[in-house]
Amino acid sequence: MHASHSNAEHINRGILFMVLAVFCFALMDVAMKHLAGHLSTFQVSFFRGATSLPFILLWLVVAKRVHRIKPVRTKLHIVRALLTIGFLTMTVITLRELPLANAYAIFFVAPLLITLLSVPLLKEHVGIHRYSAVVVGFIGVLVMLNPNAMGFMSLGVIAGLLATLGYSLGMILVRYMHRTETSESLMFFFVVGITVGCGLLALFDWQSVRWSDTKWLVLLGISGAIAQYLLTEAYRQAPPSVLSSFEYTAMIWAIGLGYLFWNELPGLWVLAGVAIVIASGVYISHREAVNKVPVERKLEH
């Protein structure tokens, strides 16, 4: 009874950490969206990494985990860095061109793509239930991208779809790299890759940084670092199958923050489409959890 109560406490704590992490990531996107209004795309991407790097280094030193950042497969880290630079710059363009909630609506397509891509790239088995959920999810995509909502051909939508594809490929790569790489090395080289790669590219179109940008750069760094920490702690407390659904609370923050800072509200078509996409994503997470139970029971025995 005591063990069951303790387990429930860990799960509740994990859910709380996940919701707070998603909120911090939303604050980070608010900062990037503001900076993208007058800085170059590569500059904003560079600052995303550069402002978080000191906090991550501090955490590695204080937690005495610096030795764990040593890479095993360096080439994969380079491939991931290039992929990250690509999808992050597309993300910045999306945030600049679209209302925050509309951008998040597109980003929510990622779990559907990850499910599809995991079959050919990771040789994972996806049953009829998850395939059906993916099909329903893409119907939701058509609803929110119809001409009466966002439309298919705007720069923001195209960038958003490319960002989501790049992110999905990146997550597939991370799943594969977890077989040999530590979480510390994945986190550290993710940030270093963004900072160095986007920093070099930003030199070709560097815009002067205003004094008024300081508070947004501080928000970018602190929110990104805290979000990463909370996310790590969330997964330490509770299983991914429980936490994944709470990532969709991002839409609540996106609508609230979008209205607060830019007086933006998503249209009914977008809300209807994203509701279908979220429902599909939650069902996919549920099916993944169901499929893992027999395996876990075998391991217990």
Side-chain angles (χ1 to χ4, degrees):
M1 186 75 176
H2 178 72
S4 176
H5 178 70
S6 177
N7 187 49
E9 281 186 352
H10 281 295
I11 289 175
N12 289 335
R13 198 176 299 128
I15 291 171
L16 176 61
F17 285 152
M18 172 59 81
V19 172
L20 291 175
V22 170
F23 173 66
C24 288
F25 277 125
L27 286 178
M28 184 188 73
D29 287 337
V30 165
M32 287 203 294
K33 182 176 175 63
H34 176 84
L35 293 167
H38 57 280
L39 298 181
S40 74
T41 302
F42 289 123
Q43 262 182 286
V44 178
S45 301
F46 161 71
F47 284 127
R48 161 67 180 95
T51 55
S52 294
L53 188 56
F55 295 100
I56 289 174
L57 286 172
L58 179 64
W59 173 70
L60 289 170
V61 171
V62 172
K64 298 179 180 179
R65 297 187 179 188
V66 176
H67 65 284
R68 289 178 58 81
I69 68 173
K70 184 179 180 181
V72 176
R73 305 182 70 177
T74 306
K75 289 181 179 178
L76 287 182
H77 281 282
I78 294 172
V79 171
R80 185 188 177 211
L82 294 172
L83 191 60
T84 300
I85 291 168
F87 87 70
L88 184 58
T89 51
M90 289 296 106
T91 299
V92 173
I93 293 172
T94 308
L95 292 171
R96 184 188 69 206
E97 297 292 327
L98 295 180
L100 194 61
N102 287 20
Y104 272 42
I106 297 175
F107 297 155
F108 284 163
V109 179
L112 309 180
L113 290 177
I114 292 170
T115 300
L116 285 180
L117 292 171
S118 66
V119 177
L121 297 180
L122 293 179
K123 309 302 180 186
E124 291 184 2
H125 173 71
V126 174
I128 186 65
H129 294 279
R130 279 187 283 175
Y131 271 129
S132 300
V134 168
V135 171
V136 172
F138 279 116
I139 292 173
V141 174
L142 293 175
V143 170
M144 69 185 182
L145 295 185
N146 80 80
N148 294 319
M150 285 189 264
F152 280 98
M153 296 308 295
S154 72
L155 174 60
V157 169
I158 293 171
L161 292 173
L162 289 174
T164 305
L165 176 61
Y167 171 81
S168 302
L169 289 170
M171 290 305 296
I172 292 290
L173 185 57
V174 166
R175 280 189 187 180
Y176 181 76
M177 291 174 72
H178 258 302
R179 299 171 185 177
T180 58
E181 311 300 308
T182 64
S183 296
E184 289 82 358
S185 70
L186 289 168
M187 185 188 304
F188 176 74
F189 288 107
F190 168 80
V191 177
V192 169
I194 295 170
T195 306
V196 175
C198 292
L200 291 173
L201 291 167
L203 293 176
F204 295 99
D205 186 26
W206 189 270
Q207 306 295 318
S208 58
V209 180
R210 305 169 185 172
W211 177 250
S212 60
D213 291 334
T214 305
K215 62 179 179 293
W216 296 104
L217 291 172
V218 171
L219 177 63
L220 182 62
I222 292 177
S223 60
I226 293 175
Q228 202 65 55
Y229 172 77
L230 288 171
L231 195 65
T232 303
E233 286 301 308
Y235 282 108
R236 195 192 308 276
Q237 299 286 341
S241 56
V242 172
L243 297 176
S244 57
S245 298
F246 289 91
E247 292 184 32
Y248 293 112
T249 56
M251 181 53 73
I252 298 172
W253 306 127
I255 293 173
L257 293 170
Y259 183 75
L260 179 65
F261 286 100
W262 296 282
N263 200 33
E264 301 169 343
L265 284 174
L268 290 177
W269 281 108
V270 174
L271 290 174
V274 79
I276 297 171
V277 171
I278 289 175
S280 302
V282 170
Y283 185 73
I284 287 171
S285 299
H286 167 70
R287 290 304 306 178
E288 287 180 351
V290 167
N291 290 336
K292 285 177 182 176
V293 168
V295 176
E296 290 171 354
R297 285 177 178 164
K298 286 180 182 177
L299 290 174
E300 287 173 0
H301 289 82

